[in-house]
């Protein structure tokens, strides 16, 4: 009973690893090539290959027989999501509304209480 629960936990963990690597991989594919150079974060093909390999390892092995490969892929995906992706969003202006200022609040521009 305990081993079955542990097996279920590992299956869920493997699924989460695969989905996280897939998210990082597909996000890297949809970013602009020039944004990588502007953010000084290697190149788009570099990240596509690294994250594609991480996804392939997660799909083939999961957490099973070769966990160190999965851990290396997970580290690459974490580096992309935590470091590279925010830099790309900052360079391309992702996440901000068009035409608004960075000091705009939900009801218009913030003027410092004046």
């Amino acid at each position: 009973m305990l081993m079955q629960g542990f097996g279920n936990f590992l299956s869920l963990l493997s699924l989460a690893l695969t989905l996280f690597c897939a998210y990082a991989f597909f996000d890297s594919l949809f970013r602009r090539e020039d944004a990588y150079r502007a953010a000084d974060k290697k190149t788009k093909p570099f990240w596509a290959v690294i994250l594609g390999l991480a996804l392939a390892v997660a799909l083939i092995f999961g957490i099973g027989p070769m966990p160190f490969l999965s851990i290396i892929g997970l580290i690459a995906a974490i580096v992309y999501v935590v470091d590279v992706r925010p830099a790309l969003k900052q360079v391309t202006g992702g996440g901000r509304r068009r035409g608004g200022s960075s000091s705009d609040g939900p009801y218009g521009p913030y003027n410092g209480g004046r």
Side-chain angles (χ1 to χ4, degrees):
M1 181 107 155
L2 184 63
M3 291 302 288
Q4 183 181 8
F6 186 67
N8 290 340
F9 173 73
L10 283 182
S11 295
L12 289 175
L13 195 60
S14 180
L15 178 64
L17 168 73
T18 303
L19 291 176
F20 186 69
C21 288
Y23 169 74
F25 174 65
F26 288 113
D27 186 77
S28 74
L29 292 180
F30 291 117
R31 300 287 172 180
R32 294 183 356 214
E33 169 73 35
D34 60 336
Y36 286 88
R37 288 188 305 263
D40 196 28
K41 298 293 182 185
K42 297 286 184 190
T43 62
K44 182 176 183 173
F46 173 83
W47 283 107
V49 167
I50 294 296
L51 295 171
L53 287 173
L55 178 59
V57 166
L59 286 171
I60 294 170
F61 297 115
I63 298 182
M66 300 169 94
F68 62 92
L69 288 177
S70 298
I71 291 171
I72 292 170
L74 178 63
I75 290 171
I78 289 171
V79 167
Y80 177 81
V81 169
V82 172
D83 182 42
V84 177
R85 186 173 182 269
L88 296 176
K89 284 178 74 171
Q90 185 177 11
V91 167
T92 59
R96 286 188 287 158
R97 292 174 288 175
R98 296 194 187 268
S101 169
S102 63
S103 65
D104 280 356
Y107 304 110
Y110 176 72
N111 60 8
R114 291 182 256 178

